[in-house]
Amino acid sequence: MLDAREFIRAKRDGRRHAAEDVRVFVAACQRREIPDYQVSAWLMAAFLNGLDEGETEALTLALLHSGRMFDWSGLGRPAADKHSTGGVGDKVSLILAPLVASCGVLVPMVSGRGLGHTGGTLDKLESIPGFRTTLPPDALRAQLDAIGVVMVGQGPDLAPADGLIYALRDVTATVEREYFIVPSIVSKKVAEGADALVYDVKCGSGAFMKTREDAGRLARRLIAVTRSLGRRAAARVTDMSQPLGVASGNALEVRESVEVLRGGGPADVRELTLELAAAMLTLAGAAADLAVARGTALRALESGAAWERFLALVRAQGGDTASVERPDGLAAAPVVRAVKAERSGVLSEVDAFGLGELVVAIGGGRIAKEDAVDPRVGLMVRKRLGEPVRAGETLAELHLASDDAAAAARAAACFRVGGSGAAPALVLERVE
Ligand code: URA
């Protein structure tokens, strides 16, 4: 029996854990033998004192083997997936998963909830009334066979220990470390049974990795660990110096995803979705090269095939399809407050981290583990970096559960108008 106090003390004092101790600790967490406060204390000790490569590998394996390993080879089609390291307004998964499935590749997508200042795919999906984000293994297989896509979270069968630790990291300020991020992502993605994994490594003020150097290193590490577990992997380092698209907040992002699936929506969301779809289709062996794959993905989007597959996914997981078919079908916030520019100039800087934290603070994420998220709240960012802005123009709209002038002031402080600024490139690096 592991003495959790000794395990915490070892890391607090900067000592290295033996792989077996990491395995025993994670297994005990999973059996709920270690209370949240001790897991959290260890997380903070490790956040501050680090885990080396061996400890990171041990954590990855322990999380991976905390549940079952799924295998879809019997379904006769390649299985691929994408995972983002987390950003603000990043709703790409909602569009990408049905899109790639409609191109003939299985997408057994396992996602997370909001993490720190970033939004989570599961919270977004749950703003669709009735949508279930856990499925028993048999149902998962049957759905994947029937429509080629599932979108679920870590559950009792699938990397459950990641689910527990992830929920604690979210609320204990222990998120942005490579040695936590790599095990968390790779464990659930390998467990879900995808053969080919594309990582979207976010970089900039709204990402966990603020610099190109850190983001590039995380991309290479994700690829290396994934390949060491026998899966194909590639990555894109992409811009997160401003929120992706217009909407940030759960129901607002579902609405924007629907717009893209129906052929409209913001250009950056559409472009990033096509970039990642091409990478997935190529890596899965369903297209000869990236250009061919992009053409396939574009046709699926423009023909309505991806949208039809999204509706099939919502239906299969118990969601109310009418709520996404009608523009006003999802719950809306009762108060909308405009955030205006005080001066004219070019939008030169956006504090995307601050905007993500604001969405959490107004109810779109969790401050404590037990919190419920309010699907209605969030923000619509109307100006992009490098765009000219006139004094009095709307920079953003805040969607609130009740009027909140302080939140609007906080949002305004996240935009800098003046000086020089240019639109950043969306894809910063391709790591094949
Ligand atoms: N996504 C995850 O699943 N885990 C992390 O730690 C970060 C992003």
Side-chain angles (χ1 to χ4, degrees), residues 102-376:
S102 75
C103 299
V105 169
L106 300 174
V107 185
M109 186 178 275
V110 178
S111 304
R113 299 192 175 279
L115 187 63
H117 68 284
T118 70
T121 301
L122 296 183
D123 292 332
K124 293 169 202 178
L125 287 169
E126 285 177 0
S127 61
I128 302 172
F131 196 101
R132 287 189 303 271
T133 52
T134 50
L135 292 176
D138 287 353
L140 215 125
R141 188 179 188 86
Q143 183 177 318
L144 200 56
D145 195 19
I147 62 167
V149 55
V150 293
M151 293 184 82
V152 292
Q154 313 97 323
D157 300 295
L158 231 159
D162 175 58
L164 298 171
I165 291 175
Y166 186 102
L168 291 175
R169 286 172 58 218
D170 177 35
V171 291
T172 56
T174 53
V175 176
E176 53 276 66
R177 285 290 186 265
E178 189 182 298
Y179 45 80
F180 286 153
I181 295 173
V182 171
S184 167
I185 294 179
V186 175
S187 63
K188 56 182 169 280
K189 292 285 144 173
V190 169
E192 70 172 33
D195 316 304
L197 289 161
V198 174
Y199 297 115
D200 180 9
V201 179
K202 299 291 185 197
C203 174
S205 65
F208 297 128
M209 299 295 144
K210 309 291 182 202
T211 65
R212 284 284 294 274
E213 195 189 351
D214 285 351
R217 204 187 47 237
L218 176 58
R220 280 170 251 285
R221 193 90 194 99
L222 283 165
I223 291 176
V225 177
T226 305
R227 287 187 183 154
S228 76
L229 292 167
R231 309 300 158 102
R232 294 192 291 284
R236 300 291 181 268
V237 176
T238 69
D239 180 62
M240 189 32 73
S241 57
Q242 58 189 335
L244 185 71
V246 175
S248 298
N250 296 303
L252 295 172
E253 291 190 48
V254 172
R255 206 168 295 148
E256 188 164 282
S257 304
V258 167
E259 283 170 26
V260 177
L261 281 161
R262 299 184 104 167
D268 59 341
V269 179
R270 180 181 162 92
E271 176 54 31
L272 184 56
T273 305
L274 291 172
E275 169 77 27
L276 294 167
M280 280 171 72
L281 292 171
T282 313
L283 201 64
D289 58 35
L290 288 172
V292 172
R294 193 186 160 93
T296 306
L298 188 59
R299 278 192 299 281
L301 202 54
E302 289 184 341
S303 67
W307 165 238
E308 289 301 327
R309 198 59 64 102
F310 179 75
L311 288 176
L313 168 77
V314 171
R315 201 173 299 118
Q317 293 190 214
D320 173 16
T321 49
S323 74
V324 288
E325 282 174 303
R326 289 200 323 264
D328 60 348
L330 293 170
V335 178
V336 178
R337 235 185 197 268
V339 178
K340 307 269 190 194
E342 283 180 3
R343 52 183 290 197
S344 301
V346 168
L347 181 61
S348 54
E349 210 177 308
V350 176
D351 176 4
F353 169 78
L355 291 175
E357 282 285 291
L358 179 57
V359 173
V360 173
I362 60 177
R366 296 171 187 80
I367 309 282
K369 190 168 147 259
E370 297 72 21
D371 288 350
V373 298
D374 184 341
R376 304 168 304 168

Side-chain angles (χ1 to χ4, degrees), residues 5-60:
R5 297 168 314 152
E6 175 48 29
F7 190 73
I8 297 164
R9 193 180 301 124
K11 197 38 77 183
R12 182 199 69 187
D13 295 345
R15 280 181 274 140
R16 184 178 188 281
H17 294 309
E20 178 59 10
D21 288 347
V22 174
R23 191 191 64 73
V24 171
F25 178 72
V26 170
C29 291
Q30 185 196 338
R31 291 192 302 269
R32 308 311 308 248
E33 288 167 10
I34 304 185
D36 284 353
Y37 53 83
Q38 287 183 318
V39 181
S40 302
W42 176 77
L43 283 169
M44 186 53 82
F47 184 93
L48 295 173
N49 287 330
L51 299 178
D52 70 12
E53 244 180 67
E55 291 170 301
T56 308
E57 186 193 321
L59 183 59
T60 308

Side-chain angles (χ1 to χ4, degrees), residues 419-432:
S420 59
L426 185 59
V427 179
L428 304 173
E429 189 180 346
R430 295 187 172 91
V431 192
E432 299 294 352

